[in-house]
Amino acid sequence: MAIDSEILAPEFLEISSEQRLNIILGLNTEKSNLSNMARRLDATAAEVHRNFSRLQKAGFVRKDSDGNYELTLYGKIICTQIPTFSFMIKNKKYFESHDLMDIPTKYIQRIGALADSKLITGYVKVMEEWENIYKNSKKYIYNILIEIPYNEGLLKILENKLENKTKIESIFSEDMVVSKERRDLLSKFNFSKFIKSGALERKMMKNVKIAMVLNENEAGLKLSDKRRRTRHE
């Protein structure tokens, strides 16, 4: 795809101002007149008027018949892209060692949906969050797993959920290695009855590079590590 930087650069310049960006984000919530926006931003009316004029000239905002400013369609579409920048900037250090290239483009284009997510590091904290996602599930649990990290506590939660008709589906990497300790632990729990009933479904796939666990309300995601060594984040 050819990108015309000569056209793009002036548009980025218009929203590079913190105040102009805040005006756009504010108008994305509701219309506003000059005085209300100035109060909201704790700025002078003259300053806000100057930035309203710049945004209006650039096609981001317009003034309606009641004297209120609102986003144009162009401005609204630009606002939908801001969460993507916000997420990537907030997690810049994380992406120095992790990769998105194993994820289909259509999902990368929607990565802004993760703007309100939080980064969790450290094995213990990750497993605590994982356990909470399992505990909070009511209808289903979906897993994509590079390895089997289950401990006895997680397996007990899974058993309880299955007993209460929570559906569980998992995709495992074909090349994952299950340690003897994990095999011994798994043998203590007999999930065959749940597999037969269809409550527990398992599939194998090649080249699984991400890990994910989700229920109907929340999810945890680990991206591919560029360093190619085990790390829980």
Side-chain angles (χ1 to χ4, degrees):
M1 179 188 298
I3 302 296
D4 191 335
S5 59
E6 188 175 351
I7 293 176
L8 282 176
E11 301 301 303
F12 278 107
L13 179 62
E14 291 305 323
I15 58 175
S16 65
S17 156
E18 183 177 352
Q19 187 176 107
R20 289 195 292 277
L21 183 57
N22 281 329
I23 288 173
I24 290 174
L25 293 173
L27 293 179
N28 194 43
T29 303
E30 60 180 349
K31 297 180 181 181
S32 177
N33 59 31
L34 178 61
S35 58
N36 285 338
M37 184 61 72
R39 281 196 298 271
R40 184 188 302 181
L41 300 181
D42 192 23
T44 65
E47 187 180 10
V48 173
H49 181 267
R50 184 170 59 252
N51 281 319
F52 265 141
S53 296
R54 284 192 62 161
L55 291 169
Q56 191 171 8
K57 184 177 179 181
F60 290 91
V61 307
R62 64 187 170 208
K63 199 172 185 179
D64 67 14
S65 58
D66 295 323
N68 292 314
Y69 289 90
E70 62 183 358
L71 291 179
T72 61
L73 176 60
Y74 174 61
K76 290 176 182 177
I77 293 173
I78 291 298
C79 270
T80 67
Q81 305 307 307
I82 291 174
T84 296
F85 286 99
S86 175
F87 173 75
M88 294 303 296
I89 291 168
K90 185 171 66 175
N91 297 287
K92 191 184 299 184
K93 292 293 292 183
Y94 181 80
F95 287 103
E96 289 179 3
S97 57
H98 292 81
D99 207 333
L100 287 171
M101 294 304 101
D102 299 309
I103 299 177
T105 301
K106 64 180 180 180
Y107 295 119
I108 295 176
Q109 291 171 340
R110 296 172 55 193
I111 201 166
L114 299 176
D116 293 328
S117 64
K118 60 181 178 179
L119 178 64
I120 299 171
T121 61
Y123 181 80
V124 173
K125 290 183 178 179
V126 169
M127 295 309 292
E128 286 176 352
E129 288 295 324
W130 198 316
E131 183 174 308
N132 286 333
I133 292 173
Y134 281 175
K135 284 181 177 178
N136 295 338
S137 64
K138 302 296 183 183
K139 299 178 181 178
Y140 60 80
I141 296 169
Y142 295 156
N143 296 293
I144 300 176
L145 302 173
I146 304 170
E147 58 180 334
I148 297 180
Y150 294 142
N151 55 38
E152 188 162 359
L154 285 176
L155 289 173
K156 285 181 178 178
I157 294 171
L158 288 178
E159 183 179 44
N160 177 264
K161 291 297 178 180
L162 288 165
E163 292 283 2
N164 286 281
K165 310 302 181 183
T166 300
K167 188 174 181 59
I168 300 177
E169 296 183 10
S170 300
I171 296 174
F172 297 102
S173 175
E174 286 186 353
D175 59 358
M176 71 177 177
V177 177
V178 183
S179 67
K180 182 180 183 302
E181 181 183 15
R182 287 264 163 78
R183 286 198 302 270
D184 291 344
L185 181 58
L186 288 168
S187 67
K188 292 175 60 177
F189 294 84
N190 180 18
F191 289 149
S192 60
K193 60 180 179 180
F194 301 116
I195 295 174
K196 291 178 181 178
S197 69
L200 179 60
E201 295 185 13
R202 301 174 298 173
K203 296 180 181 178
M204 305 295 289
M205 287 186 64
K206 292 181 179 179
N207 301 318
V208 175
K209 299 292 180 62
I210 67 168
M212 177 184 287
V213 55
L214 61 89
N215 62 27
E216 59 273 14
N217 295 312
E218 55 192 329
L221 171 68
K222 179 191 178 300
L223 299 175
S224 177
D225 194 331
K226 292 179 182 178
R227 296 163 298 189
R228 302 300 180 190
R229 62 185 176 83
T230 302
R231 182 173 175 172
H232 298 274
E233 295 187 17

